[in-house]
């Protein structure tokens, strides 16, 4: 029995050895390893020897967001973000040049630490509001002053970064002119060409408004305030075109519509030289404006109107003995007595003196269209130039625009009249343009 077991063991060992001697040797194969990225680039490594199956490794590489913004400093990188300068409590909008491939832009506020952007997740710590932002416009609003960082991103795209500097509102009339007149047809006359003048000077952003009630006195405006009456026609001009912003408006509608820098008030022409009419009505109007204006730095300015043309049939001309010089002197005297000493009125626009100065030129007493409203070209243009010169302090010497049938000689006389009124607002300066 023992011999049989030994024999069987020997036979099995022999069989195993024979099998090993007859086995085919496996040839080593060379297999390239391919690395695929999201940009579809393919990199082949040096051949390696292996008996394993080929392997594929996917690496996520962010593509360029292909986003750029015109007129902003910076490069949009985390090291050099685009710089955005916004004003507190005002919505900032900037057009984005972006070629949309797929998906939508995501706007995030965050902080940058050691070249790493950390988004702010907790709503209570966020300052910027991106309501209205989309794939083509960055829209943001901030109620706080400071410097903030924004990341604009999309899945599998390199983000673009912005540094947002939110500043206190500053009046810079080289860039913005925002004027609202509370008045009547004399305000309409004076404002007619103001946009054109400011635009030619080079001010890029101009917004003008007139709250108009025909023949309105200070008392008329007070009545409209106390009754909250929608008795105004609200005219507006934002593109060198006057239009009806609202045909039945309250004074509050106009005040709240814009962050006005200048708000003018005036007395009706017939009462403009009567000191007794410059009463508590002025206080009521100023208090209402200061309470409701949306720009706390907005200045209230007085518009000093002009005397009627000699021979005018205006029903109030009798108050001045139907005499132009009597009326002019009464207006300037009253304004110096009742308006100039006030600290809540920033300054006076001496339209009346500019008109009276020009009447001493070769043009004579021809600056109205009906004896009291200014003529459509030279008269209105003179008042508009006076407003621009007084409000901005900028020179009018290089303004060349000529409305209607005006010529260059008339323009020179007009500019001299305005500049003389700017220097001497309450007295007539004789024109040197006495002949054509």
């Amino acid at each position: 029995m023992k011999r049989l077991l030994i024999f069987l063991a020997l036979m099995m060992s022999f069989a195993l050895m024979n099998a090993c001697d007859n086995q085919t040797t496996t040839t080593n194969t060379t297999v390239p390893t391919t690395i695929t990225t999201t940009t579809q680039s393919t990199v082949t490594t040096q051949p390696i020897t292996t008996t394993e199956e080929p392997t594929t490794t996917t690496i996520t590489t962010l593509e360029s967001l292909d986003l750029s913004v015109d007129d902003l400093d910076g490069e949009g990188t985390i090291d050099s973000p685009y710089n955005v300068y916004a004003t507190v409590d005002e919505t900032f909008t900037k057009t984005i040049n972006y070629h949309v491939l797929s998906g939508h832009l995501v706007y995030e506020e965050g902080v940058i630490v050691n070249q790493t952007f950390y988004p702010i997740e907790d709503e209570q710590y966020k300052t910027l509001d991106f309501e209205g932002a989309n794939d083509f416009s960055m829209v943001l609003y901030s109620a706080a002053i400071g410097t903030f960082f924004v990341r604009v991103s999309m899945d599998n795209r390199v983000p673009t970064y912005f540094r947002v500097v939110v500043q206190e509102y500053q009046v810079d009339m080289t860039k913005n002119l925002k004027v609202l007149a509370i008045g009547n047809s004399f305000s309409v006359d004076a404002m007619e060409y103001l946009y054109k003048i400011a635009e030619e000077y080079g001010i890029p952003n101009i917004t003008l408004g007139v709250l108009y009630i025909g023949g309105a006195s200070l008392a008329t405006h007070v009545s409209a305030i106390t009754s909250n009456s929608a008795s105004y026609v609200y005219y507006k001009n934002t593109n060198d075109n006057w239009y009806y912003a609202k045909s039945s408006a309250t004074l509050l509608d106009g005040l709240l519509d814009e962050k006005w820098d200048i708000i003018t008030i005036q007395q009706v022409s017939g009462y403009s030289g009567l000191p007794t009419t410059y009463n508590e009505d002025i206080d009521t109007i100023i208090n209402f404006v200061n309470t409701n204006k949306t720009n706390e730095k907005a200045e209230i300015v007085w518009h000093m109107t002009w005397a009627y043309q000699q021979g005018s049939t205006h029903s109030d001309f009798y108050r001045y003995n139907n005499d132009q010089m009597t009326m002019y002197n009464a207006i300037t005297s009253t304004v110096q007595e009742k308006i100039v000493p006030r600290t809540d009125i920033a300054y006076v626009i001496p339209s009346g003196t500019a008109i009276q100065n020009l009447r001493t030129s070769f043009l004579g007493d021809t600056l109205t269209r009906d004896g009291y409203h200014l003529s459509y070209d030279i008269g209105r243009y003179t008042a508009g130039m006076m407003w621009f010169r007084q409000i901005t302090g900028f020179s009018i010497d290089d303004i060349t625009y000529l409305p209607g049938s005006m010529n260059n000689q008339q323009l020179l006389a007009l500019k001299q009249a305005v500049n003389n009124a700017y220097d001497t607002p309450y007295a007539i300066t004789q024109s040197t343009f006495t002949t054509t």
Side-chain angles (χ1 to χ4, degrees):
M1 184 66 178
K2 182 182 292 186
R3 290 178 179 178
L4 178 60
L5 292 173
I6 292 172
F7 174 76
L8 291 173
L10 289 172
M11 290 296 291
M12 291 177 65
S13 297
F14 176 78
L16 289 171
M17 291 175 63
N18 188 55
C20 289
D21 289 341
N22 295 329
Q23 183 178 14
T24 302
T25 302
T26 302
T27 304
N28 291 332
T29 59
T30 301
V31 180
T33 301
T34 302
I35 301 174
T36 304
T37 72
T38 59
T39 57
Q40 306 302 315
S41 61
T42 302
V43 180
T44 304
T45 65
Q46 294 295 322
I48 59 174
T49 302
T50 180
T51 58
E52 299 177 357
E53 294 295 326
T55 61
T56 300
T57 303
T58 299
I59 300 175
T60 300
T61 301
L62 296 180
E63 295 181 4
S64 171
L65 188 56
D66 192 21
L67 181 153
S68 64
V69 185
D70 294 335
D71 304 324
L72 291 183
D73 297 331
E75 300 175 0
T77 65
I78 199 166
D79 295 318
S80 179
Y82 286 122
N83 290 308
V84 168
Y85 297 95
T87 301
V88 66
D89 291 328
E90 284 193 359
T91 299
F92 174 90
T93 303
K94 188 66 180 177
T95 300
I96 289 177
N97 302 316
Y98 172 57
H99 179 64
V100 180
L101 299 176
S102 62
H104 298 285
L105 296 181
V106 176
Y107 296 82
E108 299 172 283
E109 179 184 353
V111 295
I112 295 177
V113 179
N114 296 327
Q115 307 306 307
T116 301
F117 182 89
Y118 297 93
I120 299 173
E121 305 292 347
D122 195 329
E123 291 294 330
Q124 68 176 322
Y125 297 118
K126 293 182 179 180
T127 303
L128 304 180
D129 183 351
F130 297 104
E131 183 178 356
N134 54 46
D135 291 335
F136 306 100
S137 296
M138 180 170 69
V139 180
L140 61 86
Y141 172 88
S142 175
I145 296 171
T147 300
F148 312 96
F149 291 92
V150 174
R151 179 172 67 185
V152 181
S153 61
M154 181 187 290
D155 292 342
N156 298 327
R157 300 286 190 274
V158 176
T160 301
Y161 297 90
F162 295 82
R163 179 189 291 110
V164 180
V165 180
V166 182
Q167 304 168 317
E168 185 178 0
Y169 181 80
Q170 299 291 333
V171 177
D172 182 356
M173 291 187 184
T174 63
K175 298 178 181 178
N176 303 288
L177 183 65
K178 305 183 77 171
V179 181
L180 174 68
I182 301 171
N184 51 37
S185 57
F186 277 37
S187 308
V188 174
D189 277 351
M191 293 276 274
E192 175 65 25
Y193 291 110
L194 183 56
Y195 190 104
K196 183 72 72 177
I197 297 165
E199 182 181 45
E200 182 172 336
Y201 183 85
I203 300 175
N205 303 305
I206 307 164
T207 303
L208 308 177
V210 178
L211 284 166
Y212 161 85
I213 299 177
S217 65
L218 293 172
T220 305
H221 296 300
V222 169
S223 177
I225 289 171
T226 55
S227 64
N228 195 32
S229 171
S231 51
Y232 291 90
V233 176
Y234 179 30
Y235 298 106
K236 200 170 180 183
N237 190 338
T238 58
N239 60 355
D240 197 17
N241 179 46
W242 286 101
Y243 62 92
Y244 290 98
K246 198 169 185 180
S247 58
S248 297
T250 65
L251 199 154
L252 192 61
D253 289 332
L255 285 175
L256 298 181
D257 185 44
E258 294 281 351
K259 241 180 178 177
W260 303 106
D261 294 329
I262 303 296
I263 301 170
T264 71
I265 59 176
Q266 66 182 57
Q267 179 58 292
V268 67
S269 63
Y271 296 166
S272 57
L274 304 180
T276 56
T277 67
Y278 288 60
N279 49 35
E280 63 276 2
D281 291 338
I282 298 177
D283 300 324
T284 301
I285 295 170
I286 289 177
N287 289 338
F288 185 81
V289 169
N290 283 333
T291 299
N292 294 285
K293 64 186 183 182
T294 57
N295 172 16
E296 63 179 16
K297 293 187 175 182
E299 292 183 314
I300 297 175
V301 174
W302 186 264
H303 179 212
M304 187 178 81
T305 56
W306 47 91
Y308 301 151
Q309 186 169 316
Q310 193 62 38
S312 173
T313 59
H314 194 287
S315 60
D316 282 320
F317 204 16
Y318 79 93
R319 300 180 188 277
Y320 309 98
N321 298 321
N322 294 304
D323 182 72
Q324 182 182 98
M325 285 307 303
T326 299
M327 185 174 186
Y328 171 76
N329 290 330
I331 293 171
T332 56
S333 175
T334 301
V335 168
Q336 289 180 88
E337 176 190 349
K338 295 293 187 176
I339 300 300
V340 173
R342 298 186 68 113
T343 59
D344 49 6
I345 294 178
Y347 53 86
V348 173
I349 303 174
S351 297
T353 297
I355 294 295
Q356 206 64 38
N357 285 347
L358 192 55
R359 283 170 169 159
T360 67
S361 74
F362 64 86
L363 289 164
D365 194 12
T366 62
L367 302 179
T368 70
R369 61 185 186 269
D370 57 7
Y372 42 97
H373 289 112
L374 294 178
S375 60
Y376 289 120
D377 44 21
I378 300 176
R380 282 183 162 188
Y381 199 36
T382 303
M385 283 281 208
M386 189 72 256
W387 276 52
F388 180 78
R389 184 77 173 91
Q390 192 71 42
I391 289 172
T392 67
F394 300 155
S395 172
I396 60 173
D397 293 347
D398 294 329
I399 302 296
T400 60
Y401 172 71
L402 292 171
S405 59
M406 275 190 65
N407 59 48
N408 287 324
Q409 186 75 355
Q410 293 169 336
L411 180 61
L412 290 174
L414 182 158
K415 289 179 179 180
Q416 185 187 69
V418 169
N419 284 327
N420 286 336
Y422 181 79
D423 294 333
T424 309
Y426 306 113
I428 300 170
T429 303
Q430 177 69 41
S431 175
T432 61
F433 293 88
T434 55
T435 60
T436 55

